[in-house]
Amino acid sequence: MTSIDWAKVRADFPILAQQVNGKPLLYLDNAASSQKPRAVISALVNYYERDNANVHRGLHELSSRATDAYEGARVKVAKYLGAASAEEIVFTRGTTEAINLVAQTWGARFVREGDVILLTEMEHHSNLVPWQMLAERTGARLRFVPVAEDGTLALERLGDLLTAEVKMFAFTHISNSLGTINPVAELCRAARAVGAVTLVDAAQSIGHLPVDVREMGCDFLAFSGHKMCAPTGSGALYGRAELLDAMPPWHGGGEMIVTVSYERSTYKKAPARFEAGTPNIAGAVGLGAAVDYIEGIGRATIFEHDLALTRHALARLGELPGVRVQGPRDRRGGLVGFTMDAAHPHDLTTFADQHGLALRGGHHCNMPLMKKLRLPGTTRASFYFYNTKVEVDRMADILAEAVRFFA
Ligand code: PLP
């Protein structure tokens, strides 16, 4: 494994060198959104200062540079995901839009009354609500793989739930509130055996560990750029080419058509078919720069680093009275959700902020899961490669002070 100068890496993130409420910023809200390195910020500035123009349609120098940058980013994302070709990458605003795209277009074509959409009890609202909307429109039914006591999926129930009526099995790679890492390849294999299509929500894994769609064997995968050092409003849907080309378009407009008459239109193949109108060109350029930046460190190295911080956090939180960590002890990603007997998550998060510590408190867009766990919510600390062990210790000290303060 290459040795990384983590202090040098951290210095790439200008936002981290500031005081908040009179204390050095301690940013542990990375599962909500990551910070951006200078390489990504410069790619945006460079694009706007030198190359900015509309893509595809222009027959002038700047337009062809912008097109090259936009399509070049698609190639980078395809390689990053291990996709068979760049045509399997549709740029979206992020995970939410990517899942809605599948629910609305694949769903409209392939889901009928009585069909089953299988989800898990740990899905983020963005991998739940679009399927509820599809079920309402079509008369399809939703089923859920339960979450067991230890925060993992109750896989022994899969045989009963994953029946021939299941048309779609959509699940998260890493739970954003429990930290659980799901056995994606195993779930995809089980779905394939009954002819179900799979969608992986990779929002929490995409910037944290190696993600390869062909190793996973998934049909669709959705992710957000802003959680992997890229700009907000960037992200993508991966879809197997034959599935994307069998799906009807969703947004109509420029760029997605072959011919248009007053009465009707014909549509391009994927990905253009799903990218109507002027896209987020700068966002895609920034996403491409983020891919280069993360690959420069290496995803396996990032995962190891995140994991070391998580283990340290689990040990330090374990020392605090009345603090209970949610989720499994092993096989977990770089985030820790916990409760503190003495304080509501919102009060604790506000207390932390007074010390310059950015945590997240609440239901984390997992309302049904919180209800099942009988929790008002949790407080979540989430780590990324620019965080340090010293920061985890500082977090633990602030939380120890909170235990005394709220007692
Ligand atoms: N899925 C998971 C597991 C998430 O953690 C999130 C965001 O926190 C999303 C989906 C939604 O991502 P976005 O809001 O970027 O579309």
Side-chain angles (χ1 to χ4, degrees):
M1 181 150 300
T2 48
S3 96
I4 301 282
D5 182 345
W6 292 109
K8 196 156 162 272
V9 167
R10 185 179 167 93
D12 288 339
F13 292 79
I15 202 170
L16 297 175
Q18 65 174 295
Q19 305 252 318
V20 167
N21 291 322
K23 307 276 171 27
L25 168 65
L26 174 41
Y27 187 79
L28 298 182
D29 195 17
N30 296 288
S33 200
S34 75
Q35 298 302 349
K36 322 301 172 201
R38 265 197 202 89
V40 169
I41 299 166
S42 305
L44 294 179
V45 171
N46 203 44
Y47 170 74
Y48 279 124
E49 285 188 351
R50 294 163 37 98
D51 301 329
N52 177 56
N54 212 332
V55 288
H56 301 142
R57 286 167 274 197
L59 292 172
H60 59 80
E61 171 65 19
L62 291 196
S63 176
S64 74
R65 273 194 233 155
T67 305
D68 287 350
Y70 183 68
E71 292 305 328
R74 199 190 304 278
V75 171
K76 284 181 189 179
V77 170
K79 281 202 186 119
Y80 186 73
L81 296 180
S85 83
E87 278 68 53
E88 296 186 318
I89 305 300
V90 179
F91 283 128
T92 66
R93 283 191 295 124
T95 312
T96 304
E97 188 173 62
I99 297 172
N100 276 278
L101 192 167
V102 177
Q104 289 187 31
T105 66
W106 176 88
R109 170 83 25 111
F110 295 106
V111 174
R112 299 278 167 272
E113 189 173 357
D115 288 344
V116 172
I117 297 153
L118 181 61
L119 307 171
T120 82
E121 286 182 344
M122 63 170 75
E123 296 314 310
H124 187 279
H125 295 166
S126 64
N127 197 27
L128 170 59
V129 181
W131 303 114
Q132 291 174 339
M133 290 161 71
L134 175 65
E136 245 169 62
R137 276 199 303 276
T138 57
R141 293 166 295 151
L142 301 181
R143 265 185 209 158
F144 298 89
V145 181
V147 172
E149 283 279 300
D150 66 353
T152 62
L153 291 177
L155 293 178
E156 70 281 3
R157 296 285 316 282
L158 207 57
D160 297 337
L161 296 165
L162 194 49
T163 57
E165 303 146 284
V166 176
K167 290 289 177 298
M168 165 62 76
F169 184 16
F171 49 85
T172 193
H173 189 178
I174 299 183
S175 159
N176 62 302
S177 52
L178 302 173
T180 319
I181 302 180
N182 288 322
V184 174
E186 189 186 326
L187 298 179
C188 288
R189 226 178 359 259
R192 243 191 337 272
V194 297
V197 165
T198 47
L199 181 147
V200 176
D201 173 351
Q204 291 299 340
S205 58
I206 192 68
H208 291 266
L209 71 169
V211 166
D212 185 302
V213 289
R214 281 183 288 175
E215 270 174 28
M216 285 178 172
C218 61
D219 295 302
F220 295 106
L221 180 138
F223 77 89
S224 304
H226 70 94
K227 293 183 199 284
M228 53 165 286
C229 300
T232 48
S234 69
L237 169 72
Y238 157 81
R240 277 200 303 110
E242 63 185 270
L243 280 173
L244 288 180
D245 284 329
M247 285 154 51
W250 68 330
H251 298 155
E255 291 295 312
M256 48 78 76
I257 47 81
V258 179
T259 62
V260 180
S261 70
Y262 282 117
E263 290 74 31
R264 63 179 299 275
S265 303
T266 58
Y267 311 119
K268 286 184 182 158
K269 288 168 73 114
R273 161 187 306 212
F274 302 108
E275 292 182 8
T278 302
N280 180 2
I281 307 162
V285 170
L287 179 58
V291 164
D292 289 342
Y293 184 83
I294 287 175
E295 293 289 63
I297 302 172
R299 283 178 277 177
T301 307
I302 289 173
F303 186 52
E304 209 167 280
H305 178 276
D306 284 4
L307 214 58
L309 293 188
T310 306
R311 285 203 193 103
H312 189 54
L314 288 173
R316 291 297 316 266
L317 289 173
E319 296 163 1
L320 300 177
V323 168
R324 258 183 297 275
V325 171
Q326 302 296 316
R329 282 216 72 79
D330 304 313
R331 258 191 85 76
R332 56 184 301 153
L335 63 94
V336 181
F338 57 92
T339 55
M340 183 182 282
D341 287 348
H344 187 280
H346 287 156
D347 296 331
L348 181 56
T349 308
T350 306
F351 178 91
D353 181 53
Q354 294 312 304
H355 293 74
L357 167 57
L359 299 174
R360 186 152 293 251
H363 55 64
H364 313 294
C365 294
N366 282 136
M367 277 170 85
L369 178 64
M370 292 298 149
K371 195 164 172 215
K372 175 189 162 97
L373 299 173
R374 294 203 176 80
L375 295 174
T378 63
T379 303
R380 182 182 70 190
S382 50
F383 313 109
Y384 212 9
F385 54 81
Y386 40 70
N387 292 125
T388 65
K389 197 163 167 233
V390 171
E391 285 186 312
V392 174
D393 283 328
R394 214 184 116 207
M395 172 192 78
D397 293 344
I398 294 167
L399 294 176
E401 205 175 317
V403 170
R404 291 190 292 274
F405 178 84
F406 289 106

